[in-house]
Amino acid sequence: MVQTKLRSLAPKNDVISFLILAAILLVALPVLFDIFRLNLIGKYLTFAFVALGLVLSWGLGGILSLGQGIFFGLGGYAMAMFLKLEASSPENTQIQSTPGIPDFMDWNQLTELPWFWEPFHSFGFTVFAIFALPALFAYIIGAAMFKRRVGGVYFAIITQAIAAILTILIIGQQGFTGGVNGITDLRTLHGWDIRTDSAKYVLYFVNVVLLLITLVAAQYIRKSKLGRLLVAMRDSEDRVRFSGYDVSNFKIFIFCIAGIFSSIGGAMFTLQVGFMSPSLIGIVPSIEMVIFAAVGGNLSIFGAIYGALIVNWAKTILSESYPELWLFAMGALFIAVVLAFPKGLAGIYESHVQPWVDKKLKAIQKKKAEK
């Protein structure tokens, strides 16, 4: 019975896909690329956390959020605040007029650390905040919207507006947040220099392991009763409601899970890249995050990761030569995927590649049986 349940949660094809992905991320990429490119790939993978959350909320639940940058930023800023406080010890900030506070606060003539920064002296609280803040924020947004049966396009626009408001708020409060520059010059984690090549290798592998754990959690949700209910809600919300289920609570829950996934990605982004700024929270980055999931396939958890990798790689290549063309290319890519490949790369694989692989495997098995 246990084996049957495990097979239902992890079909053979999904196990093979997981092993292939793990081999690519843990073995092939570190062997093929130098630390500079590997660090870039690590940055791309932090957006894959967001794409995984979008597969659950948008692909399965039909909840399209155009403001996932909010949660990415909450996790990123929580980690950045801890690292900045560690880099702002009285010894490191002796030249400031007020030693012991972050440099941008001193530049803005603050003379003491704001009260809401104090808890981020603790790494334990910071980790707690990376999970709790996005969950609380998503619950407030979700409860306010879903309890009133606000959904579809209206929900997407509202989340986009919240992302824009949060960006403006962060930029406007320069003395507390670092303003448009964000929180920069992050150096150590508990005394461990995160800027060295060896640290970047370690952080890359930590990032990949966390991503694979998140993928397993997403797979469990997708195959569980909750996953089936989400699909039913997406296809016919009223039928699920008339069956006695509280649709709004399920929507709030999966929106919170998507927010937590995004927040983990944001925290890992800060650790690997060494800064966090409002440019990663607003409308454009939030739409880009939706495109990652759309290109990979908004119904495929594996496709979401490949989508985040491919789109970000294309962005890097195109931006190096034609930086002004990226926004146009992104818009064209989104339209092309929606019109021509509604299931993204995962749909192409399922329609063309998988049948060919299955046919070859059957032929090999048949030959073995004949011998």
Side-chain angles (χ1 to χ4, degrees):
M1 186 174 177
V2 175
Q3 286 183 338
T4 305
K5 190 173 182 180
L6 285 174
R7 282 175 189 164
S8 67
L9 290 174
K12 186 179 177 182
N13 286 338
D14 286 348
V15 173
I16 294 172
S17 299
F18 179 85
L19 293 175
I20 292 173
L21 179 66
I24 291 172
L25 297 180
L26 291 172
V27 180
L29 294 180
V31 170
L32 290 173
F33 293 108
D34 59 23
I35 186 59
F36 174 75
R37 290 290 172 187
L38 197 65
N39 189 238
L40 272 181
I41 293 168
K43 186 181 82 169
Y44 303 160
L45 290 176
T46 62
F47 296 114
F49 287 89
V50 188
L52 274 177
L54 281 168
V55 167
L56 296 180
S57 66
W58 176 34
L60 267 65
I63 305 165
L64 175 57
S65 167
L66 293 179
Q68 287 305 98
I70 300 168
F71 309 109
F72 189 84
L74 286 174
Y77 267 94
M79 181 58 74
M81 289 165 78
F82 171 77
L83 298 177
K84 190 64 181 175
L85 287 178
E86 189 169 306
S88 305
S89 63
E91 295 78 22
N92 292 336
T93 54
Q94 288 179 5
I95 60 171
Q96 294 180 181
S97 55
T98 307
I101 65 173
D103 47 12
F104 60 84
M105 292 183 186
D106 192 58
W107 301 336
N108 285 277
Q109 300 179 344
L110 267 64
T111 55
E112 60 180 342
L113 195 67
W115 63 268
F116 58 88
W117 273 74
E118 291 288 352
F120 290 94
H121 279 295
S122 163
F123 183 67
F125 177 84
T126 301
V127 174
F128 170 74
I130 288 167
F131 287 85
L133 281 178
L136 177 64
F137 211 73
Y139 178 82
I140 293 170
I141 296 172
M145 298 294 111
F146 299 136
K147 291 290 184 184
R148 293 172 174 77
R149 299 191 185 183
V150 177
V153 176
Y154 299 104
F155 180 78
I157 293 172
I158 288 170
T159 52
Q160 199 172 49
I162 294 171
I165 291 168
L166 187 62
T167 305
I168 294 169
L169 184 66
I170 290 173
I171 293 174
Q173 299 299 317
Q174 187 169 340
F176 300 117
T177 62
V180 70
N181 295 322
I183 300 177
T184 59
D185 194 24
L186 308 176
R187 304 170 190 171
T188 58
L189 175 67
H190 280 306
W192 179 51
D193 194 337
I194 60 174
R195 297 166 297 179
T196 63
D197 286 352
S198 59
K200 288 176 182 175
Y201 270 114
V202 172
L203 288 172
Y204 171 81
F205 285 109
V206 170
N207 189 34
V208 170
V209 171
L210 282 176
L211 181 62
L212 293 176
I213 293 171
T214 307
L215 188 149
V216 171
Q219 170 75 350
Y220 179 79
I221 293 173
R222 191 168 71 98
K223 292 292 183 181
S224 66
K225 183 180 178 181
L226 172 61
R228 295 193 292 276
L229 273 171
L230 289 172
V231 173
M233 288 190 305
R234 180 197 65 195
D235 295 340
S236 181
E237 187 174 316
D238 287 338
R239 284 188 181 181
V240 177
R241 184 175 288 112
F242 293 150
S243 299
Y245 292 101
D246 190 329
V247 170
S248 60
N249 282 344
F250 286 111
K251 284 186 169 183
I252 292 168
F253 178 76
I254 203 63
F255 188 52
C256 290
I257 293 293
I260 291 171
F261 283 6
S262 303
S263 179
I264 296 171
M268 291 309 301
F269 178 93
T270 300
L271 277 171
Q272 291 185 100
V273 181
F275 76 93
M276 175 51 64
S277 81
S279 64
L280 296 154
I281 296 175
I283 293 174
V284 172
S286 293
I287 292 176
E288 284 184 349
M289 292 167 188
V290 172
I291 293 177
F292 303 154
V295 170
N298 66 351
L299 294 173
S300 170
I301 56 175
F302 295 100
I305 295 174
Y306 288 114
L309 279 173
I310 291 170
V311 175
N312 277 289
W313 175 80
K315 180 181 179 180
T316 299
I317 298 297
L318 195 61
S319 298
E320 287 174 354
S321 305
Y322 309 101
E324 70 281 0
L325 291 180
W326 169 242
L327 286 179
F328 297 102
M330 185 179 66
L333 181 65
F334 186 61
I335 293 170
V337 168
V338 171
L339 292 179
F341 309 107
K343 291 184 179 179
L345 295 175
I348 297 173
Y349 175 81
E350 289 168 3
S351 303
H352 299 89
V353 180
Q354 193 168 5
W356 181 82
V357 172
D358 290 343
K359 187 178 176 182
K360 291 293 180 186
L361 288 175
K362 284 181 182 176
I364 293 170
Q365 289 174 349
K366 189 178 178 182
K367 281 185 180 178
K368 284 184 178 177
E370 288 173 354
K371 288 179 181 177

